[in-house]
Amino acid sequence: MTDAPIEYLEVDAIQRELHAAVAAGEAPDTVIYSEFAPVYTAGSSTSDEDIPNPDVPVVRIDRGGSVTYHGPGQLVAYPIIHVHGRQDVVAYVRGLEQAVIDLAAKLGILAGRVKGRTGVWITAAGQPDRKLCAIGVRFAKRTTMHGLALNVSTNLADFERIVPCGIQDAGVVSLAELGVSLSVAEIAGLLHPYLEQELAHFRAPEKVGQL
């Protein structure tokens, strides 16, 4: 990770270069951990209604999902791994979710899934669901790209300019709002073993443990 937020397009260029190398067998599987300068990115299922303010600058990208916000205080993890066996995108997304759910449990937070919605959520009876972690991925040449965005100490007001992930009846939440006082880098270090555990299900047996 860098010491300060970095521009999204800089990391995207690095991601694509690494993706090409991993897909060609010229580089090992890896995970890019980043904290971005403020940016809105829109995936393949973004509709006009998801961006009600046409003045909001949006970067269109080739991941799944709708529009979301990235910025300081948010941990973005891009696993770039060559997938062994069946390319099951749904199972892969569930694996990323599980890594964050396990991390949240370690931090004393009960997080989980919401039926029909991607990502990791905080739910409570009588209250709107709140998304803690957004997920949008892509498989190309049997190799993964893009990944997850976990709100650590993100300024949640920056989500108000869009309809996050195209979901009208839910909100967003951060670890800080849930009482966790750790830095983005510290959360990255805690997340990594859980993420590696889940990624092992999709990697060739001889590569397990090499990430």
Side-chain angles (χ1 to χ4, degrees):
M1 287 197 59
T2 56
D3 294 331
I6 189 171
E7 294 297 327
Y8 171 82
L9 290 177
E10 289 184 40
V11 177
D12 187 58
I14 294 169
Q15 173 188 213
R16 292 177 190 280
E17 182 177 338
L18 276 172
H19 180 273
V22 171
E26 298 169 354
D29 295 347
T30 190
V31 179
I32 301 172
Y33 290 104
S34 301
E35 182 181 11
F36 291 139
V39 65
Y40 295 91
T41 66
S44 58
S45 62
T46 304
S47 67
D48 292 341
E49 292 76 18
D50 298 339
I51 310 173
N53 181 352
D55 294 329
V56 173
V58 174
V59 178
R60 300 278 176 174
I61 55 175
D62 55 357
R63 61 162 170 78
S66 182
V67 64
T68 194
Y69 167 77
H70 299 303
Q74 184 188 74
L75 172 64
V76 176
Y78 288 162
I80 304 174
I81 64 167
H82 191 72
V83 178
H84 175 75
R86 182 168 174 243
Q87 296 185 85
D88 189 335
V89 177
V90 173
Y92 178 68
V93 168
R94 295 293 169 264
L96 299 186
E97 291 170 346
Q98 191 60 51
V100 176
I101 290 169
D102 291 343
L103 167 66
K106 179 179 178 65
L107 297 172
I109 295 169
L110 179 61
R113 300 180 178 90
V114 171
K115 186 176 180 180
R117 294 178 171 176
T118 299
V120 178
W121 297 80
I122 303 297
T123 61
Q127 297 181 21
D129 299 335
R130 295 178 294 167
K131 181 174 272 191
L132 176 65
C133 177
I135 295 175
V137 304
R138 183 180 181 223
F139 281 26
K141 298 181 179 179
R142 301 192 64 84
T143 304
T144 63
M145 61 190 306
H146 303 296
L148 64 86
L150 173 60
N151 297 325
V152 178
S153 56
T154 322
N155 181 0
L156 301 179
D158 288 320
F159 284 96
E160 295 175 2
R161 302 180 71 190
I162 57 171
V163 179
C165 303
I167 299 174
Q168 299 273 358
D169 60 345
V172 290
V173 68
S174 68
L175 291 175
E177 196 170 59
L178 296 170
V180 176
S181 300
L182 294 174
S183 69
V184 171
E186 288 171 324
I187 292 296
L190 292 173
L191 174 63
H192 187 72
Y194 295 113
L195 192 55
E196 184 176 4
Q197 178 177 298
E198 293 302 323
L199 294 176
H201 299 303
F202 303 92
R203 303 166 69 218
E206 64 271 15
K207 289 187 175 181
V208 173
Q210 295 180 12
L211 188 63

